Amino acid sequence: MTVTIGRRELLVALGGAAAGWPLAARAQQPGRVWRIGVLETTSMELNAANFEAFRQSLRDLGYIEEQNLIIEYRSAEGRGERFADLAADLLRLNINVIVTRGTPAVLAAKKATTTAPIVMAATGDPLMVVASLANPGGNITGLSGYTTGLEEKRAEVLKELVPGAVRIAGLYNMGNPVVPPLWNELQAAARKLELTPQLLDVRKVEDIAPAFADATSQHVDVLIVSVDALTQKNRSFITQLAAGHGLPAIYVSKEYIDAGGLIAYGPHYPDLYRRAAIYVDKILRGASPSSLPVEQPTKFELILNLKAARAIGLQVPMTLMVRADEVIE
């Protein structure tokens, strides 16, 4: 039996089928090659876990490198002053979207362009660059890696880890505009925990070793290391110095633990990068950054490195171990 179908019925049928096609297939525009510029704090090698989460999310959405996608990766290599030149370099390549990490990177991108869409994979205080979280306005949106109370939480973890601690220091790059408020948070947290706070201001790699020497001379008991292009680039150096000085230190992410750090508490950065790819996809499909709300982290992790603890003769309380999302033996 032969069945005939009219043009109207055919279009309806095809429309219904299209609704069931995978998102990856619908995301692609035949013949179009998208170009994404990435403005990063560190090299692709040091940023591998985060960047692979970003790439995989893009692949899931139908963007395949060297087919319909080109990624231009630029790293400041721990030197925040390089972001302006790197942003200008990306704009010369006629990229479709700029993806940034960190407040200095997005500030440089914002200064360089008011038209090219900018997606923050992770930033400090997003209100430094957008009008509001719900309605960012302008050409910037994305994700924040910061929520109020994180420095207090890290200080509490350190106090639990070292109950007899009296003096707590913050290893901060105060030249990064997002960092001074973190120092203020740490001072307030220290007062609650009856700890004496000390600032270790590091703005270049040459400041790092003397800061640890100063911490030792001032009898610092525990240390918070903030996230920054400088500390990310030099994280192996920092974790080695902390171990060498026998100083229990808490970091913001797993990448520091992978470099030998003792303990980390903060957002799950690969998840932020995965979600950043979703923002990129929405923008490439026509959404305006001004109408895409800025989102905060929803997934956090506590990671313990027992090998690092043993190296400095530190016994990790069971209360911390049972709460940890990951314990490295």
Side-chain angles (χ1 to χ4, degrees):
M1 178 177 67
T2 302
V3 177
T4 61
I5 183 169
R7 181 174 181 274
R8 179 180 176 84
E9 289 82 359
L10 177 62
L11 291 174
V12 170
L14 289 175
W21 292 344
L23 176 61
R26 291 188 283 125
Q28 299 181 42
Q29 294 184 18
R32 182 68 187 265
V33 178
W34 303 103
R35 192 180 294 268
I36 298 174
V38 178
L39 195 56
E40 267 289 352
T41 55
T42 59
S43 67
M44 195 180 295
E45 180 182 5
L46 288 177
N47 197 34
N50 299 326
F51 194 59
E52 181 52 34
F54 177 72
R55 275 174 156 160
Q56 183 58 56
S57 187
L58 286 173
R59 286 193 289 268
D60 293 342
L61 292 164
Y63 301 93
I64 310 299
E65 288 182 74
E66 308 306 330
Q67 292 186 20
N68 63 350
L69 176 67
I70 295 173
I71 297 178
E72 300 285 355
Y73 191 103
R74 299 292 184 273
S75 167
E77 296 295 339
R79 295 168 50 199
E81 70 274 12
R82 297 187 60 204
F83 282 125
D85 289 340
L86 294 173
D89 180 39
L90 288 175
L91 290 170
R92 283 191 289 269
L93 298 175
N94 295 318
I95 47 84
N96 299 106
V97 180
I98 295 177
V99 177
T100 65
R101 176 175 180 173
T103 303
V106 70
L107 286 173
K110 180 180 182 179
K111 187 174 181 179
T113 179
T114 58
T115 56
I118 299 168
V119 172
M120 301 176 290
T123 192
D125 183 354
L127 294 179
M128 288 186 175
V129 290
V130 300
S132 74
L133 299 185
N135 297 287
N139 61 322
I140 303 173
T141 187
L143 297 127
S144 169
Y146 168 79
T147 59
T148 302
L150 281 178
E151 293 301 271
E152 180 175 357
K153 178 65 175 178
R154 292 180 184 117
E156 289 173 350
V157 169
L158 285 175
K159 183 68 172 178
E160 186 174 354
L161 185 64
V162 186
V166 174
R167 197 170 187 87
I168 185 171
L171 189 77
Y172 293 145
N173 178 359
M174 297 295 279
N176 183 334
V178 78
V179 169
L182 299 181
W183 168 234
N184 293 337
E185 277 193 30
L186 176 55
Q187 292 181 89
R191 286 193 294 271
K192 285 185 180 180
L193 297 169
E194 298 182 341
L195 295 168
T196 300
Q198 179 176 337
L199 174 64
L200 301 173
D201 187 5
V202 292
R203 305 195 183 201
K204 55 185 183 300
V205 65
E206 291 82 8
D207 296 334
I208 297 174
F212 275 89
D214 187 32
T216 298
S217 66
Q218 296 296 321
H219 305 291
V220 167
D221 298 299
V222 289
L223 174 70
I224 291 180
V225 178
S226 75
V227 63
D228 175 79
L230 178 66
T231 61
Q232 286 175 286
K233 168 66 176 176
N234 297 285
R235 57 183 183 256
S236 291
F237 183 41
I238 290 170
T239 58
Q240 289 168 13
L241 284 169
H245 286 265
L247 185 57
I250 191 168
Y251 306 90
V252 299
S253 64
K254 187 177 187 295
E255 55 197 347
Y256 291 85
I257 305 306
D258 293 338
L262 170 65
I263 189 168
Y265 177 75
H268 187 270
Y269 279 88
D271 183 61
L272 293 176
Y273 275 72
R274 177 191 62 80
R275 292 161 63 192
I278 297 172
Y279 274 86
V280 169
D281 173 57
K282 289 180 179 179
I283 290 169
L284 294 182
R285 290 192 287 122
S288 170
S290 64
S291 63
L292 295 175
V294 174
E295 296 180 0
Q296 293 183 304
T298 56
K299 186 176 182 180
F300 296 84
E301 57 185 359
L302 176 66
I303 305 170
L304 288 167
N305 184 346
L306 296 185
K307 181 179 179 181
R310 288 192 295 269
I312 60 174
L314 183 66
Q315 181 67 43
V316 178
M318 185 58 66
T319 52
L320 272 179
M321 292 182 63
V322 298
R323 295 205 313 273
D325 298 281
E326 184 176 352
V327 177
I328 297 171
E329 296 289 344

